[in-house]
Amino acid sequence: MPLKVIVSGAGVAGLSLAHWLARIGATPIVVERAPHVQTLGHYISLKGNGVEMVRRMGIFDACEARSAQLEEVRLYCAASGRLLRSEHTATLAKTLGGYILFRRADLQAALYDLSAEHTDIRFGVQIVEAHADTGHVEVTLSDGTTERADLLVGADGIHSAVRGLAFGPDFERPLGGYYITITQTLHHGLAPVVHSYLSTGRMVNLLPVTPDTASAVVYLGADVDAPPRNDAVAMRDYLLATCADFPDDVHNVLGSVGADDFVFSDAIAQIDMPRITRGRVALIGDAAHCPTFLSGMGSSLALQDAHMLAGSIARSPDDLDTSLARYEEVMAPIACRYRDSGVRAHAAFLTSSRVKARIRDLALRLTPERVFERGVRRFFDSERPLADLPST
Ligand SMILES: Cc1cc2nc3c(=O)[nH]c(=O)nc-3n(C[C@H](O)[C@H](O)[C@H](O)COP(=O)(O)OP(=O)(O)OC[C@H]3O[C@@H](n4cnc5c(N)ncnc54)[C@H](O)[C@@H]3O)c2cc1C
């Protein structure tokens, strides 16, 4: 009998796991809370091992074809408009072992195309109960049906329901502040580079991805009020008020949000658990160890988790205990380093101290290129050889 795996969540982690499970001859069933296929999400960047993962899945070209061609990242002091530093994205790609800037929606679409044919994906359904006995797990779904499987995987994001059911509620660690992102159609007149404006306790990245489209990624520190939920117009007004002292280019993009636009926002939080597997339950992606948006490695980690879990099962198909232990042993330290980077980025970019913000800006201006490059490599954990991950 092929191994049967129930996966909660058809996001980045869940769909890539479904692909790899099918490749190793297992039978995945994916349950997704959203009512139908709907690929959503703004600009993210895959780096290093994340790029290697899409290469191994055979969707590198599809991802690359959707990537924004922004050749430079320019960092400015938001108050003075002074350019602090600029880096070529080609250099970043070389330093990090790969860099693709594209929409989360495009990644999800490519993963869906890859996995849907071989996977039973059930939309509009969630797991409401899970019970494990020796060697199996039985779940009750929100449509009243039950499923028995060899393994249950929580790939249902930072607010994972499976994590709550199998491990308990207390693993979310807020770092303080919020992450809000939009993609707008407008004539922005910006040069085609990433414009990153730094302030005290706030940072806004503008990505003019085409002459008529710009994305904004807004990071707010702990000192701001919580943003409104599920109301794009209220969010626009909140963003304009919170970023009032940013340059006009920022206001122009933020002010273009209309009632029907999709705004993605969440609190900046990490998931930190002592264990990410228990019995016949495993967690992957944000559900297991969300490193925050500030680490820049969330999607790359989700892809690596999926690959590693399937790879470990393929290595010892008759011994799931060993497979899960191996998965956890390899991925937990990688996630830990990404989380550490997230904490460091939070301290540097969202500090509420004007003095620390000034020192940061000065360091950005004066750090020699070689030292900066080494710091970037360390930050994104790119010094680790890709060979760490077995090719399935
Ligand atoms: C709709 C959406 C838009 C996003 N947009 C952005 C963005 O613009 N920028 C950015 O940096 N990050 C975004 N993210 C987060 C980013 O995708 C993740 O941080 C990262 O890719 C890790 O992926 P993941 O698969 O672990 O989690 P996610 O990508 O969050 O995927 C989790 C999946 O599980 C589903 N799910 C949640 N709860 C349940 C449940 N109880 N039962 C069944 N299914 C469930 C969700 O609908 C989703 O499909 C977005 C996430 C979502 C869900």
Side-chain angles (χ1 to χ4, degrees):
M1 283 285 282
L3 194 85
K4 186 169 161 187
V5 183
I6 296 174
V7 182
S8 174
V12 173
L15 291 173
S16 34
L17 181 65
H19 162 73
W20 287 117
L21 287 173
R23 278 280 296 272
I24 64 170
T27 307
I29 297 176
V30 178
V31 294
E32 165 59 50
R33 158 173 90 171
H36 49 81
V37 193
Q38 194 185 13
T39 54
L40 285 170
H42 306 286
Y43 281 80
I44 56 166
S45 54
L46 283 187
K47 305 174 192 81
N49 281 3
V51 176
E52 175 61 14
M53 292 299 95
V54 296
R55 205 172 271 128
R56 288 188 188 181
M57 282 190 277
I59 55 170
F60 175 85
D61 288 345
C63 295
E64 184 67 14
R66 295 303 197 132
S67 70
Q69 299 304 314
L70 300 176
E71 286 174 6
E72 225 180 299
V73 179
R74 292 184 191 160
L75 297 128
Y76 310 89
C77 166
S80 65
R82 179 173 193 173
L83 180 68
L84 302 171
R85 187 165 203 104
S86 88
E87 293 293 322
H88 284 280
T89 45
T91 314
L92 268 180
K94 205 166 149 220
T95 305
L96 300 175
Y99 175 86
I100 308 177
L101 179 66
F102 65 148
R103 295 183 320 150
R104 184 235 183 225
D106 294 326
L107 176 58
Q108 197 187 9
L111 292 169
Y112 182 79
D113 290 348
L114 190 69
S115 54
E117 203 183 309
H118 311 286
T119 309
D120 174 1
I121 306 182
R122 300 181 193 172
F123 287 96
V125 185
Q126 324 188 24
I127 293 167
V128 289
E129 263 182 60
H131 296 289
D133 56 35
T134 8
H136 284 92
V137 60
E138 189 161 301
V139 300
T140 306
L141 304 179
S142 52
D143 62 4
T145 58
T146 56
E147 285 290 343
R148 194 171 160 78
D150 301 289
L151 179 65
L152 167 62
V153 178
D156 42 1
I158 184 166
H159 308 295
S160 169
V162 168
R163 187 179 66 237
L165 287 174
F167 296 83
D170 297 325
F171 302 104
E172 205 166 312
R173 180 154 69 100
L175 297 188
Y178 301 90
Y179 170 94
I180 302 153
T181 178
I182 53 175
T183 305
Q184 298 301 120
T185 304
L186 80 162
H187 289 290
H188 48 72
L190 290 160
V193 302
V194 179
H195 303 265
S196 185
Y197 296 97
L198 310 185
S199 181
T200 307
R202 287 154 306 148
M203 170 165 81
V204 179
N205 293 341
L206 291 186
L207 287 68
V209 287
T210 73
D212 295 324
T213 317
S215 189
V217 186
V218 180
Y219 300 85
L220 303 173
D223 291 349
V224 300
D225 292 334
R229 293 172 69 86
N230 305 321
D231 181 341
V233 172
M235 180 64 95
R236 176 196 65 202
D237 297 342
Y238 168 88
L239 287 171
L240 286 172
T242 317
C243 301
D245 54 343
F246 277 66
D248 287 349
D249 286 339
V250 172
H251 302 157
N252 194 21
V253 178
L254 300 181
S256 70
V257 173
D260 296 329
D261 289 328
F262 172 62
V263 179
F264 176 77
S265 79
D266 209 340
I268 298 177
Q270 298 192 324
I271 299 299
D272 194 354
M273 305 179 68
R275 300 292 312 270
I276 55 171
T277 67
R278 172 182 279 176
R280 291 303 172 104
V281 183
L283 301 175
I284 62 173
D286 280 358
H289 35 214
C290 175
T292 78
F293 311 103
L294 284 157
S295 75
M297 293 306 279
S299 297
S300 293
L301 181 59
L303 294 170
Q304 291 175 75
D305 278 345
H307 182 264
M308 187 66 212
L309 178 56
S312 300
I313 294 172
R315 274 191 184 184
S316 21
D318 301 323
D319 184 358
L320 261 187
D321 291 341
T322 301
S323 306
L324 295 182
R326 163 100 182 128
Y327 159 67
E328 178 152 354
E329 186 187 301
V330 174
M331 292 315 301
I334 296 175
C336 186
R337 288 193 297 277
Y338 291 175
R339 275 199 308 265
D340 286 349
S341 292
V343 171
R344 274 189 283 138
H346 191 276
F349 292 105
L350 298 183
T351 177
S352 56
S353 153
R354 280 176 197 276
V355 176
K356 283 188 185 159
R358 285 236 175 98
I359 296 171
R360 170 203 65 208
D361 291 357
L362 203 66
L364 282 168
R365 269 180 48 220
L366 301 180
T367 304
E369 192 52 34
R370 271 210 182 159
V371 179
F372 188 80
E373 237 177 57
R374 214 176 308 135
V376 167
R377 228 186 342 258
R378 203 173 313 123
F379 182 87
F380 293 114
D381 198 33
S382 306
E383 278 149 346
R384 288 180 74 79
L386 294 170
D388 255 350
L389 297 162
S391 44
T392 319

